[in-house]
């Protein structure tokens, strides 16, 4: 769609807002609807939009595939790592109470971290899946 | 030392022997020496325990506990010991014979042949000394599987087909009848150990006992009771030493031995006598005896004729067991020995003829005795022993079997035994007669002489055995007498 | 009562869409219909107080899935062949039996929305009562998702990861420069 | 300190290892990593086994949330048995995979292979260890999705359709399972297995619970390929890469059987399923039909891997047969057969991997004379085959003995006879291969075929040793199986 | 709302049946996959319906609210949706590969190809034996 200036400019304006919204959904999930998964999907949507407008190979230059692969796993490791941190701090696996001095704070921190992990993995996974589909040849 | 580990040694020796044979396969002289040494040392070990067995010493060994309360374990009792002596002695003779035969016949895959042979003997040894049904079953199946490559030895389409029949019948009967019977016994009686007097009495009704007996006797397909006899003629495609030792002695005797053992130690002859089924089985055995002989008369292929003769003779032993009297068991046990010597002699003869003249059909063997007097002479002695004429071993066993039949009032069976003897004469003696007295068919074949020396030697030994068994039946008789029933 | 009518309307639309999906043979329309179906479902979820789920369904079902199916269709063509087989009784039977068993099972359940149902009074009540205190978060769904049943969510994240890896396996990783697939 | 958290690590270790494996991006390195992880998982499983056998049930509360509010790990004899089984197979197959995968899969994808492999491994472990019905679903999906990917990695295009069919049927099965879970959740309000077992009796006599049972059983039957819901299995096993066939055949359906056991015995309880609902005869007849029909189909196969796949369906029949008796003997027979069959099938599929490695085919016709050219490999095939038939002194015999004993104890000698009868069919299909391999002349003019590499031989012979060892000394497996059966039959595990 | 009775569930059953019907009866792989989606979505709806409490609101704590709907089904279905999209992605990728390998995504045509392949194999086999 390189020859559609309106679409291109419109997208250019929209993409940052979508990303911002994703961040909002990510961190506001504790209070209202939303959370890591939804945020991840929305964030991925912004990248997908970029790829649709500017071609996948262009998008690949912006988000490097290696980075995608690494972050794809990093989300899980962050999640499981938070759980394992619980073990090292004297609790059970995924026990957030021990993460901070106060159990409620610990829970807060833990949930934040794991939601972030979910968000990262989902973003990367969705982006990867779409990019791969998009660059297939007929 | 030897006595303590006697059982394990007698199983290990052939096993180790088979490994060595496989390893030394490249050098045939070494390989065959190994075979001979193994067989001789096995016989030595077995015979060395003779006095201990006579003195009823308890020799036991346990190899493993497979399942809770179910073990692979062995003990020595007279019947099994007798069979072990028989098999280990005849293995020596057959080894000698094989050397002549296999070389004379230029067989391929000889290493596989000797290896599997030794393994089969191992199976027989384990079977002889097994002290419970599971161990018996284990070695029973081992024998089947180790002899399968021997049957299909030549690899021809015919051999493969025969192998299928062989494996099919033996595995099918053992798995579908025998194994359920064993497990049923275990569930009903709580034990599957061979115990003097039997284990089933009091645990099962006579109706269930009858079913179990049928399952057991037909389940031991190696006893070749009709209608499960087809595998035996099929197995005749194997090289003759295999037919001689395995399909006239080791394998089939393993079958009837199992029947005897189950009759004595699982049912107990008292309980056996109470069962409806034992009468049916007596008739089944009688039927097999007669039909087997009749079919044998119609066979032109020598080995097939001998195979049907074996089927018929095996049923003598089954009959002996099913009579459920001491004399019957005695006769059955004795027939196991005498028939072995007689039949192996006949098979040796058949093989010797095949090696020397490449003839397999009886109708081609006219006048062959002039070229091969030793072979045919031994054949005559074997025949007479099978028929049951003095002064050869077969006379004793038939005598005892008749006694047993009279004891239990089975007059018909006495008649069956008599008729069968006449039939034996009818299908065995003409071979010898035409061999010696017909004109040799010279134009058809190139002239040939006597079989290789190894073959002749083996025949002479077994023929002498037939005679010896008549003159000195005492050891056999004594061993069989001390069986606790 | 307005809820009730919205509910009925949505459900009717859902049924219509579902039936349309079975009938229509142009795959492009089917994909669009399934996107619609997802949106209707999401609306339905809002009606049933499941805002988080509605959000997700809208983003995933109507968004990602539709895009994905469109991408697939671009690669495989968009026409479904007319059925070649004769009408077969087997699928109908399977489907009817399944449906009947569900009806059988649900007809013994407490009425829709019944607050006395076991489901509301065994585990969930505790979440509602104590999650606010224990985790300090007002969104119960988030605290259950990330903390009480955080392990499920770890699994869920792994599922997404697995899907990404599986797609890499099947269609080639992004890392390698663009080229034709080596399988053929 | 870590020791008390081993249950969590058992699953989390391979789970974390997968993303790391993804970035390793080097074939050998990925393999070494998978090897390290599977050995560690094996060690963990053994130590857990030891602990459960000596101390009894372990309950581990994830996040320190007490069940039923949080997710619980519950390790009793049955689950620990599965852990040991899966990790053993994992170690063996990983060793085997090195050469096999290098041959069958393009180099750039090998690290992806091991990533999927670890995920599948983690999924199966997660299913065996968890005490929460919904958590089972999540891990079921992890293992299934990775299995679809693994199967499709083969060169054969039929693997793709097989994988797709597996995906469709597997998803339908999983969705059925979820419907069942939903219904029991509706009836009780709980998802925790132990808690469900307490809560269900009160509501057992409702249509909801009955329908739930139906959905759970049908869904799981799809997953474990109970006849006649097996149609996804033969092609999936036959055309998958060799290492995958070996791994999945030995574990995936087995874990599904385990979940079925949990559902039937722990959640619903034996008296409900076999008493009130009287499902015994239904399971029994399907099992027997499967034993015969699948064996018969195995006989007509031209491809040995496909043949083995059909045989797997038949063997599932044996396992379900044992379960259908609902007695300690029958159930322990079923569980022991689960283990034994895993050993046998893993061994046989690995043998086929070796054969494929050398001759690029697993068709029977191409195996002529292979007995001479690959003596060790084919010897292992014969031993595995004999065990499948149930020859004494191999593991197959033990399970058959137990199943028959159970049949006799249940007073049904007809069924007892059925078991060896169907084994005869196994004789036929195994012997077709043996005959060709040993007694047919090898095709002339073909380049010499070497024996398979040592690294592929070792795992095979480890399995062969296992087949003999547990066939001659089955006291250990039987003891664990019996205890597992007793704990399952005891209703709630205490 | 109680007047609804079980109406909600039964509509869900209809949706479920149509989804399953597409999976079982249709030969087009894309359609199958969509059927699977419909099937799963209907199950999700069943769960969410079970979680509804009459007069309740979304389970987000607020001082002024007394009755909340059941949050647990929501959590489960969030997971379920993710699993669903993951399956769809893998399925779609498989379909793309199948299209490339067979040139079609109609089940019966694929079967035809496979049977042919099998037969050519068998023919070779016969000459070999």
């Amino acid at each position: 769609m390189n020859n559609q200036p309106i679409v291109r400019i419109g997208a250019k304006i929209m993409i940052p807002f979508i990303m911002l919204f994703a961040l909002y959904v990510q961190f506001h999930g504790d209070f209202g609807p939303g959370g890591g998964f939804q945020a991840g999907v929305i964030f991925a949507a912004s990248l997908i939009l970029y790829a649709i407008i500017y071609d996948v190979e262009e998008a690949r230059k912006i988000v490097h595939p290696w980075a995608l692969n690494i972050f794809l796993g990093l989300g899980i490791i962050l999640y499981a790592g938070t759980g394992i941190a619980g073990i090292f701090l004297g609790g059970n696996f995924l026990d957030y109470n021990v993460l901070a001095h106060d159990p409620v704070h610990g829970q807060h921190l833990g949930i934040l971290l794991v939601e972030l992990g979910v968000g990262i993995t989902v973003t990367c996974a969705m982006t990867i899946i779409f990019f791969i589909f998009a660059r297939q040849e007929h | 030392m030897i006595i303590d580990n006697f059982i394990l040694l007698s199983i290990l020796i052939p096993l180790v022997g088979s490994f060595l044979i496989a390893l030394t396969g490249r050098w045939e002289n070494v390989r065959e020496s190994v075979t001979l040494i193994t067989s001789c040392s096995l016989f030595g070990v077995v015979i060395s325990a003779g006095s201990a067995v006579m003195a009823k010493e308890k020799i036991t060994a346990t190899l493993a506990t497979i399942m809770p309360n179910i073990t692979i374990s062995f003990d020595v009792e007279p019947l099994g010991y007798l069979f072990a002596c028989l098999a280990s002695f005849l293995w020596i003779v057959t080894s000698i014979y094989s050397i002549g035969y296999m070389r004379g016949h230029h067989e391929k895959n000889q290493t596989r042949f000797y290896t599997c042979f030794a393994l089969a003997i191992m199976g027989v040894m384990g079977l002889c000394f097994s002290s419970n049904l599971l161990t018996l079953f284990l070695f029973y199946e081992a024998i089947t599987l180790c002899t399968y490559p021997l049957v299909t030895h030549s690899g021809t389409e015919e051999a493969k087909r025969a192998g299928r029949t062989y494996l099919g019948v033996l595995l099918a009967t053992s798995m579908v009848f025998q194994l359920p019977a064993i497990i049923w016994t275990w569930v009903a009686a709580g034990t599957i150990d061979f115990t003097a007097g039997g284990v089933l009495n009091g645990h099962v009704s006579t109706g269930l006992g009858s079913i179990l007996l049928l399952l057991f006797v037909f389940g031991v397909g190696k006893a070749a009771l009709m209608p499960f006899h087809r595998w035996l003629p099929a197995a005749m495609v194997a090289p003759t030493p295999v037919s001689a030792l395995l399909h006239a002695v080791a394998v089939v005797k393993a079958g009837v031995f199992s029947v005897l053992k189950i009759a004595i130690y699982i049912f107990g002859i008292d309980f056996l006598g109470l069962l409806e089924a034992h009468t049916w089985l007596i008739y089944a055995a009688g039927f097999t005896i007669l039909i087997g002989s009749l079919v044998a008369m119609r066979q032109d292929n020598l080995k097939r004729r001998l195979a049907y003769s074996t089927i018929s003779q095996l049923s003598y032993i089954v009959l002996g067991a099913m009579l459920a009297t001491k004399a019957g068991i005695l006769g059955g046990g004795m027939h196991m020995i005498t028939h072995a010597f007689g039949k192996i002699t006949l098979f040796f003869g058949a093989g010797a003829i095949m090696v020397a003249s490449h003839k397999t059909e009886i109708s081609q063997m006219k006048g062959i005795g002039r070229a091969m007097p030793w072979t045919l002479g031994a054949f005559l002695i074997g025949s007479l022993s099978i028929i049951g004429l003095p002064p050869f071993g077969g006379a004793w066993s038939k005598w005892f079997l008749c006694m047993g039949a009279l004891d239990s009032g089975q007059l018909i069976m006495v008649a069956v035994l008599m008729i069968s003897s006449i039939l034996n004469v009818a299908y065995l003696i003409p071979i010898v007669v035409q061999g010696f007295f017909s004109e040799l068919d010279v134009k058809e074949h190139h002239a040939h002489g006597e079989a290789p020396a190894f073959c002749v030697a083996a025949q002479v030994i077994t023929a002498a055995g037939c005679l010896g068994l008549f003159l000195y039946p005492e050891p056999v008789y004594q061993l069989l007498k001390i069986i606790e029933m | 009562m307005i809820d009730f009518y919205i509910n009925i309307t949505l459900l009717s639309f859902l049924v219509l869409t579902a039936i349309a999906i079975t009938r229509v043979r142009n795959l492009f329309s089917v994909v669009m219909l399934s996107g619609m179906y997802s949106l209707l479902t999401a609306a339905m979820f809002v009606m049933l107080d499941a805002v988080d789920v509605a959000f997700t369904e809208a983003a995933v079902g109507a968004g990602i899935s539709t895009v994905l199916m469109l991408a697939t269709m671009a690669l495989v063509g968009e026409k479904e062949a007319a059925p070649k087989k004769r009408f077969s009784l087997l699928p109908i039977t399977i489907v009817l039996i399944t449906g009947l068993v569900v009806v059988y099972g649900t007809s013994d359940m407490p009425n829709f929305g019944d607050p006395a149902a076991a489901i509301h009074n065994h585990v969930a009540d505790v979440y509602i009562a104590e999650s606010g205190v224990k985790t300090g978060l007002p969104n119960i769904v988030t605290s259950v998702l990330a903390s009480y049943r955080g392990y499920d969510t770890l699994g869920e994240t792994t599922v997404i990861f697995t899907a990404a890896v599986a797609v890499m396996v099947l269609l080639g990783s992004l890392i390698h420069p663009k080229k034709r697939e080596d399988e053929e | 300190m870590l020791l008390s958290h081993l249950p969590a690590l058992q699953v989390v270790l391979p789970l974390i290892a997968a993303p790391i494996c993804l970035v390793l991006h080097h074939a050998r390195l990925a393999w070494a990593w998978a090897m390290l992880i599977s050995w560690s998982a094996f060690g963990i499983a053994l130590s857990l086994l030891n602990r459960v056998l000596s101390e009894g049930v372990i309950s581990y509360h994830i996040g320190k949330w007490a069940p039923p509010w949080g997710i619980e790990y519950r390790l009793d004899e049955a689950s620990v048995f599965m852990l040991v089984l899966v990790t053993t197979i994992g170690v063996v197959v990983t060793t085997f995979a090195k050469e096999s995968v290098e041959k069958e899969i393009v180099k750039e994808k090998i690290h992806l292979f091991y990533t999927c492999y670890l995920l599948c491994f983690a999924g199966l472990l997660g299913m065996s260890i968890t005490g929460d019905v919904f958590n089972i679903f999540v891990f079921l999906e992890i293992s299934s999705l990775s299995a679809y990917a693994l199967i499709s990695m083969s060169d054969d295009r039929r693997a793709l359709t097989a994988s797709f069919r597996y995906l469709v049927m597997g998803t339908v099965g999983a969705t059925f399972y979820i419907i069942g879970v939903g219904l029991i959740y509706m009836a009780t309000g709980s998802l925790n297995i132990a808690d469900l077992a307490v809560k269900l009796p009160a509501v057992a006599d409702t249509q909801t619970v009955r329908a739930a049972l139906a959905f759970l059983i049908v869904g799981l039957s799809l997953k474990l390929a109970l006849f006649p819901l097996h149609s996804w299995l033969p092609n999936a096993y036959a055309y998958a890469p060799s290492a995958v066939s070996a791994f999945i055949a030995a574990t995936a359906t087995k874990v599904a059987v385990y979940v079925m056991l949990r559902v039937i015995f722990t959640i619903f309880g034996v008296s409900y399923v076999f008493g009130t609902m009287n499902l015994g005869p239904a399971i029994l007849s399907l099992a027997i039909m499967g034993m015969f029909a699948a064996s018969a189909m195995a006989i007509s196969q031209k491809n040995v891997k496909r043949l083995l796949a059909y045989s797997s369906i038949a063997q599932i029949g044996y396992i379900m047969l044992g379960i259908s008796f609902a007695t300690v003997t029958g159930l322990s027979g079923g569980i022991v057969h689960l283990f034994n069959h895993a050993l046998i099938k893993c061994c046989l599929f690995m043998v086929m991997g070796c054969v494929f490695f050398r001759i690029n085919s697993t068709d029977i016709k191409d195996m002529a004379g292979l007995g001479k050219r690959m003596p060790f490999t084919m010897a292992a095939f014969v031993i595995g085959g004999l065990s499948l038939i149930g020859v004494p002194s191999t593991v197959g015999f033990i399970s058959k003995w137990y199943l028959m004993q159970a049949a006799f104890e249940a007073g049904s000698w007809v069924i007892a006879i059925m078991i060896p009868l169907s084994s005869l069919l196994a004789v036929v299909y195994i012997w077709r291969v043996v005959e060709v391999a040993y007694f047919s002349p090898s095709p002339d003019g073909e380049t010499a075929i070497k024996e398979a590499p040592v690294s592929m031989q070792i795992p095979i012979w480890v399995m062969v040793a296992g087949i003999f060892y547990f066939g001659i000394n089955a006291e250990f497996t039987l003891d664990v199986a019996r205890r597992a059966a007793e704990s399952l039959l005891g209703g709630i595990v205490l | 709302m109680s007047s609804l009775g079980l109406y909600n569930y039964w509509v869900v059953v209809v949706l479920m049946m149509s989804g399953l019907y597409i999976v079982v009866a249709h030969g087009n792989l894309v359609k199958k996959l969509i059927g699977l989606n419909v099937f799963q979505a209907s199950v999700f709806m069943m769960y969410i319906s079970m979680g509804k409490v009459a007069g309740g609101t979304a389970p987000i704590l607020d001082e002024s609210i007394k009755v909340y709907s059941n949050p647990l089904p929501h959590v489960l279905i969030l997971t379920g949706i993710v699993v669903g999209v993951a399956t769809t992605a893998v399925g779609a990728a498989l379909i793309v590969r199948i299209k490339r390998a067979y040139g079609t995504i109609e089940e019966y045509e694929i079967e035809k190809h496979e049977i042919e392949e099998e037969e050519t194999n068998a023919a070779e086999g016969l000459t070999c034996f």
Side-chain angles (χ1 to χ4, degrees), chain B residues 69-138:
Chain B
N69 301 321
I70 301 181
T71 55
I72 299 183
S73 50
F74 308 95
D75 67 358
V76 181
E77 48 81 48
L79 189 64
Y81 182 72
L82 190 62
F83 185 30
C85 291
L86 172 74
S88 57
F89 173 69
L90 289 180
W91 188 27
I92 305 177
V93 185
T94 312
S95 299
I96 297 170
Y97 180 82
S98 305
I99 296 169
Y101 178 88
M102 297 300 276
R103 290 187 180 184
H105 225 234
H106 307 292
E107 292 274 357
K108 281 188 225 150
N109 293 324
Q110 291 196 27
T111 307
R112 183 173 78 196
F113 171 85
Y114 285 110
T115 311
C116 289
F117 214 112
L119 282 174
I121 296 294
M122 178 212 69
V124 173
M125 288 298 137
L127 187 90
C128 293
F129 298 127
S130 55
S131 78
N132 61 37
L133 279 172
L134 179 74
T135 316
L136 182 96
F137 184 71
L138 166 66

Side-chain angles (χ1 to χ4, degrees), chain B residues 300-423:
Chain B
D300 191 33
N301 182 300
L302 179 53
K303 279 176 78 179
R304 285 183 74 86
R305 181 175 288 192
L306 294 178
Y308 276 101
S309 157
T310 306
I311 293 170
S312 149
Q313 299 282 325
L314 288 174
S315 279
Y316 282 41
I317 304 167
V318 176
L319 174 67
M322 289 305 122
L323 286 173
T325 60
K326 288 205 168 191
I329 301 282
L330 195 63
M334 200 159 241
H335 198 67
M336 210 167 80
I337 308 296
T338 54
H339 172 249
F341 273 89
K343 196 45 73 59
I344 202 169
T345 315
L346 298 185
F347 270 110
F348 282 167
I353 294 170
M354 204 190 293
V355 171
S357 69
H358 303 290
K359 285 175 182 164
T360 54
E361 307 304 305
I362 294 164
S363 50
Q364 304 166 339
M365 293 178 189
K366 290 189 176 121
I368 207 159
R370 301 186 188 176
M372 310 176 69
W374 284 97
T375 300
L376 223 60
F379 196 92
L380 176 63
I381 292 174
S383 306
L384 294 177
S385 180
I386 296 283
I387 294 162
L389 291 176
F392 301 105
W396 286 120
S397 48
K398 284 212 174 164
W399 170 259
F400 281 114
L401 280 172
C402 285
M403 295 300 291
L406 281 173
D407 269 6
S408 56
Q410 299 285 355
L411 287 176
I412 302 176
M413 287 305 128
V414 181
V416 167
L417 289 172
M418 293 304 155
I419 298 170
S420 148
S421 296
I422 296 167
L423 292 175

Side-chain angles (χ1 to χ4, degrees), chain B residues 155-312:
Chain B
T156 58
E157 204 44 53
E158 189 201 357
K160 277 196 266 184
R161 211 172 317 123
R164 271 174 233 156
T165 314
Y166 183 77
L167 202 70
V169 174
L170 290 184
L171 278 184
T173 49
S174 66
M175 279 180 7
V176 180
F177 301 132
Q178 194 183 351
L179 183 60
I182 293 173
I183 296 173
W184 210 340
T185 308
W186 165 251
V187 172
T191 176
I192 46 171
D193 289 345
F194 292 126
T195 317
V199 296
L200 281 173
N201 200 358
H203 291 288
V204 296
S205 64
T206 49
L208 178 53
S210 287
I211 295 173
L212 279 178
L213 184 64
L214 291 175
L215 284 177
F216 270 122
V217 173
F218 284 112
V220 181
K222 292 199 172 90
L225 202 58
M226 283 181 184
F228 299 113
H229 64 285
R230 289 279 313 143
W231 62 271
L232 187 53
M236 289 304 135
V237 296
T240 308
V242 176
S243 313
L245 181 60
L246 298 176
H247 299 126
V249 181
V251 173
V252 291
K253 294 302 183 300
V256 288
F257 168 76
S258 306
V259 172
L260 279 171
K261 224 169 158 166
I262 289 165
I264 301 171
Y265 297 111
I266 293 296
F267 286 86
I269 51 174
D270 297 335
F271 184 57
L272 189 64
L274 297 175
L275 300 177
E276 191 79 9
H278 97 280
T279 336
W280 307 340
L281 284 169
I282 287 174
Y283 287 110
F287 178 81
T288 309
I289 292 172
L290 290 181
I291 300 297
S293 302
L294 287 172
V295 177
M297 289 175 67
R298 302 183 50 84
Q299 302 297 324
D300 191 33
N301 182 300
L302 179 53
K303 279 176 78 179
R304 285 183 74 86
R305 181 175 288 192
L306 294 178
Y308 276 101
S309 157
T310 306
I311 293 170
S312 149

Side-chain angles (χ1 to χ4, degrees), chain D residues 272-396:
Chain D
Y272 183 70
V273 178
F274 292 96
T276 321
M277 301 295 290
N278 198 18
L279 285 183
I283 300 179
L284 180 82
S285 43
L286 287 183
I288 290 185
M289 269 155 60
M291 277 155 53
F292 282 94
S295 303
M297 284 187 256
I299 290 173
S300 61
Q301 295 305 316
K302 301 182 189 80
N303 180 322
V304 183
K305 275 176 84 178
R306 211 146 184 273
L307 180 155
L308 293 176
Y310 273 107
S311 138
S312 279
I313 300 167
Q315 303 295 321
I316 293 285
Y318 285 107
I319 297 171
M320 296 310 288
L321 179 71
I323 293 169
S324 74
F325 290 122
T327 59
V328 173
T329 318
L331 197 50
S332 41
I335 294 174
V336 155
H337 194 54
L338 199 102
F339 179 79
N340 293 348
H341 177 241
L343 290 187
I344 300 169
K345 269 295 145 61
C346 184
C347 172
L348 288 175
F349 272 114
M350 287 196 297
V351 165
M352 281 305 120
C354 287
V355 170
F356 189 83
F357 190 84
R358 287 298 183 213
I359 67 172
N360 279 322
S361 162
T362 53
D363 280 0
I364 293 186
K365 65 181 161 58
D366 297 326
M367 290 175 66
L370 219 55
K372 258 213 173 119
R373 296 188 290 176
M374 300 177 75
F376 289 103
T377 308
M378 289 318 288
F381 183 87
V382 173
I383 294 167
L386 290 178
S387 189
L388 207 57
I389 294 165
V391 168
S393 86
T394 61
V395 286

